[in-house]
Amino acid sequence: METVREKYAENTRRALLDTGLRLFTERDFASVSAEELVRTAGLTRGALYHHFEGKPGLFEAVFEELERQASERIRAEIAAVPDPRERAYRAVDAFLDVCAEHAYRHIVLQQGPIALGWQRWRELDQLHLGGLVLDIVDAALAAGRLRPHPANLVARAFYGALTELSITITETDEPEQARTQAAALVRDLIGGVVTDGGPPSP
């Protein structure tokens, strides 16, 4: 049974996460101070350091929550799709839909590499979305639908392409057009690696 102390700790942590999500979505990481975070949340600086060890830790927790939600959303979108190639197409469309949302775009794609550093950003992104890509590729391999390339290399290639395309979309003046073009490009890439169900080409 949850104690009053545990419930208070859970509510405090949730208040900080919700406040961090709102402020980090509205502004750049560097322009949000620890003092503003705790003041907006109605908490003390000690609470921030107790739960997240400061502003960078809170940002990372918000970042991971968005990544986890994105992965769960994409997995739900493709769960009932049996065909490996169609599953990959749907996953790409769902991923690009996520990238179009302001909170994900600003926190994960734009501010993430700055606030976390490129290496840490890449580690966390691969943890949540890299594994999803590999699962999709492994399913195509298990169904005998993957052309003769190592599954791990195929997954890395698609993960890298999606990462660069998603960042490029955030930097363009025509995001909707770029999204449409990116989706068409990735579909062509998938079509060249995942077969249509006939004998795989050498």
Side-chain angles (χ1 to χ4, degrees):
M1 182 176 178
E2 191 176 44
T3 67
V4 173
R5 183 187 294 270
E6 289 170 338
K7 185 64 176 176
Y8 176 77
E10 178 187 330
N11 290 341
T12 299
R13 189 176 189 278
R14 185 71 256 167
L16 286 165
L17 283 168
D18 290 344
T19 300
L21 174 62
R22 180 161 66 84
L23 295 183
F24 292 138
T25 298
E26 292 172 353
R27 305 210 308 276
D28 292 350
F29 173 78
S31 71
V32 179
S33 68
E35 289 77 9
E36 182 180 8
L37 285 165
V38 297
R39 183 175 66 249
T40 304
L43 296 166
T44 65
R45 193 180 180 95
L48 174 63
Y49 280 86
H50 173 73
H51 287 282
F52 300 104
E53 299 183 354
K55 184 180 81 165
L58 176 58
F59 181 91
E60 183 169 315
V62 171
F63 176 99
E64 282 212 81
E65 187 165 74
L66 288 173
E67 286 277 59
R68 184 168 53 254
Q69 289 171 354
S71 178
E72 290 171 355
R73 176 171 161 184
I74 295 167
R75 288 184 185 279
E77 185 71 24
I78 65 176
V81 183
D83 181 74
R85 189 157 66 179
E86 183 61 28
R87 185 183 299 123
Y89 289 160
R90 297 275 191 91
V92 169
D93 288 342
F95 172 69
L96 293 175
D97 285 344
V98 169
C99 292
E101 295 172 359
H102 181 63
Y104 187 92
R105 184 173 69 248
H106 188 70
I107 292 175
V108 174
L109 299 177
Q110 295 175 332
Q111 293 298 303
I114 297 170
L116 300 172
W118 175 254
Q119 185 59 39
R120 182 59 176 161
W121 180 87
R122 188 169 180 270
E123 288 174 1
L124 292 175
D125 194 60
Q126 283 189 321
L127 176 65
H128 295 283
L129 295 179
L132 172 60
V133 174
L134 183 58
D135 288 347
I136 292 170
V137 172
D138 280 343
L141 179 64
R145 300 279 296 279
L146 190 68
R147 294 187 187 276
H149 303 290
N152 187 57
L153 288 182
V154 174
R156 286 296 186 99
F158 279 112
Y159 168 78
L162 287 169
T163 298
E164 289 301 318
L165 287 171
S166 64
I167 292 173
T168 299
I169 290 170
T170 70
E171 297 172 343
T172 183
D173 294 332
E174 300 287 344
E176 285 302 319
Q177 180 182 13
R179 184 208 181 284
T180 300
Q181 293 170 338
L185 172 58
V186 177
R187 279 177 172 260
D188 282 349
L189 294 175
I190 292 169
V193 177
V194 181
T195 68
D196 61 5
S201 303

